Structure formats: C-alpha cells, structure tokens
Amino acid sequence: MSEDLDKPIQFLKGVGPRRAVLFEHLGVRTIYDLLHHYPRLWQDRHETADLRLPTTTGLVVLRGRVLRATSRGAGPRLALYKATLATTHGKVECTWFKHLSRRFDVFSALKKEVREGADLWIVGHADPDLTGIREVRVDEHYPLEDERWRLHVARTVPVYALTEGLPQRFVRELSHAALELAADAAIDAVPPELMTKRRLLAAPQALRGLHFPRSEDELEAARARLAYEELLLLELAWILKRRQTRGLAKGFGYEIKRTLLSPFRQGLGFELTAAQKRVINEIFE
C-alpha cells in the first residue's frame, strides 16, 4: 500500500483527533478505508425541472436569488429562518428549522450566507399542493460564491453512512479530497488480462466513478468493477483455504462405498427416476 493510502485519516484537512475518533465508529482509520467507505445510495440532484410534478422522494433542488430573509421563534424550543427565493419557477418560500438556544443566535452563520441578494442552491423536501410546490423545508444550502457547491448539487451525489457528529456534507467533501490525493495510488487486484477480457475499469477510475459518478453508465461500470474484484478475491481465498485443508495430515481416513446405498434404495419401495439416479452419481463423483 502506498504512503498516501496508509496515512491516518486525522491528517486530512478538517479532521483532527476528535473527528478521527468518530470515523473509527465507521471502521475508517486511514485514507484507504475512506476510499472504500462506499456510498450507501446516490441522489439525482440536478435542478428540479417542474415544481408541479412531485418527485418520488419529495426531494427538491433549486437555484435562485434571495429576495428577503427573516428569522422568528416558533414555540419555546424551535426557531424558523425563512427566505423568499426567486427561481426560474417563480417565488419559492424556503424554511430552515433549528433548536433555540439562550446562549447564542442559532442562525448567525446562516444569516451571512442566506441574505438579501445572495445566489444559492437549496436542497430540501416539499409536499406539493394542487398548484405545485411553493414552500421547501431546507436540508442543505450552498452559496454560488463557494465553488464547493459543485460536489453537492447539479449532479449525481453520493450519500454515505454516518455517525453522530459527522455531517453528510463534510464526509462528502472529505471523500473527494481523499480521491484527489490518493485514488491514483489504488492497486489493481484484478490481473490485466482479466480486466481486458471483462472490459473493467481501472481501480482509480472505478473509485472515482463510485463516489462521484459523471453519469449513470459510469456508476454502473464502477459498481461492476468493484463487485467483480470482491468476488474474485473471495474465490481466491476459498482456493487457498482448500489447498491448506488438503495439505493437513488427518488423524483418520475414509473411502466412498457405493454398495452401502443399495440396501437403502431397496427399502424405499419405489424405483428412483433417471434424474434422481443422475444426481446421486454426481454426488459420488
């Protein structure tokens, strides 16, 4: 394994010792582990084409400009931040929910990004009425001035298994950084002749295609490549195990005696079919 792949994950920017402990809960200790912490699903986060048609998941992705934004309380424990977004579909109301705090303004960071005149992407969920979607519960937002939005919207986006304290956005960006740093060092476990015969992607391309696919075809090719490698290694492990088992000195011996089946067959009271006889012969062989 190369030095980059073997590096502890805590040395990646933004991780540190505290978050490294959280990643251990996911079985991720090194950059190699992170590259093989595959997405559990992928979301189509291209901009929603028609707000009159509900999506199967209720997911809504929009790009627009903030016309106005306000915050207010919504009970003893909940606060709301609402922004009106001008989109290609018209005006859409966007709502963020947070637990209230008596010590600080829970929307202080949000107010800097979601402000009047700001251009941004929002990702959220909505329940359409007869006139279509006019209000979205926001899960994620990305200012256009921050180029990192390209990892999270307007494409097929990976969604990872998480543990408490690790946001989806952070894990996604960290996986991309790990690919940029070490994907080219990934070792191909599949021999070149098999890769050519099966038309498989190289390991670096398969890892990139699995985490951040540029198309549905690339995602399927990456999944097929990594599944083939996993099955190949499993088969090789079984072959090695069988060879080890055959080489062991056993404290007993045995032999197969076909004649011992005759009394059993005679006592059945009926004649075996040709197919049953064939299977029995295959078992003996």
Side-chain angles (χ1 to χ4, degrees), residues 2 7 11 37 54 63 84 90-91 99 110 149 154 163 176 192 195 210 217-218 220 223 225-226:
S2 78
K7 281 182 180 176
F11 296 113
H37 180 61
R63 174 177 172 170
T84 303
K91 294 179 181 179
H99 291 290
L110 190 63
W149 66 262
T163 190
H176 186 266
M195 289 183 62
L210 194 74
D217 288 342
E218 185 180 38
E220 288 307 310
R223 294 173 71 176
R225 161 63 172 79
L226 294 167

Side-chain angles (χ1 to χ4, degrees), residues 146-168:
D146 184 345
E147 284 293 309
R148 287 178 296 178
W149 66 262
R150 298 181 186 279
L151 297 179
H152 306 283
V153 288
R155 65 180 304 157
T156 299
V157 173
V159 178
Y160 298 92
L162 301 175
T163 190
E164 188 174 358
L166 290 177
Q168 189 67 240

Side-chain angles (χ1 to χ4, degrees), residues 179-200:
L179 286 167
E180 292 295 297
L181 176 67
D184 288 334
I187 299 171
D188 267 310
V190 182
E193 59 271 20
L194 278 180
M195 289 183 62
T196 302
K197 180 179 179 181
R198 304 297 182 190
R199 298 180 180 178
L200 300 174

Side-chain angles (χ1 to χ4, degrees), residues 94-133:
C94 302
T95 306
W96 287 255
F97 296 87
K98 282 189 179 291
H99 291 290
L100 275 173
S101 172
R102 295 180 179 179
R103 295 177 297 157
F104 59 91
D105 181 0
V106 295
F107 291 126
S108 60
L110 190 63
K111 289 175 180 177
K112 296 176 183 177
E113 295 182 336
V114 186
R115 63 190 186 279
E116 187 175 332
D119 294 312
L120 54 101
W121 285 91
I122 63 106
V123 180
H125 288 80
D127 301 313
D129 57 25
L130 294 176
T131 62
I133 294 170

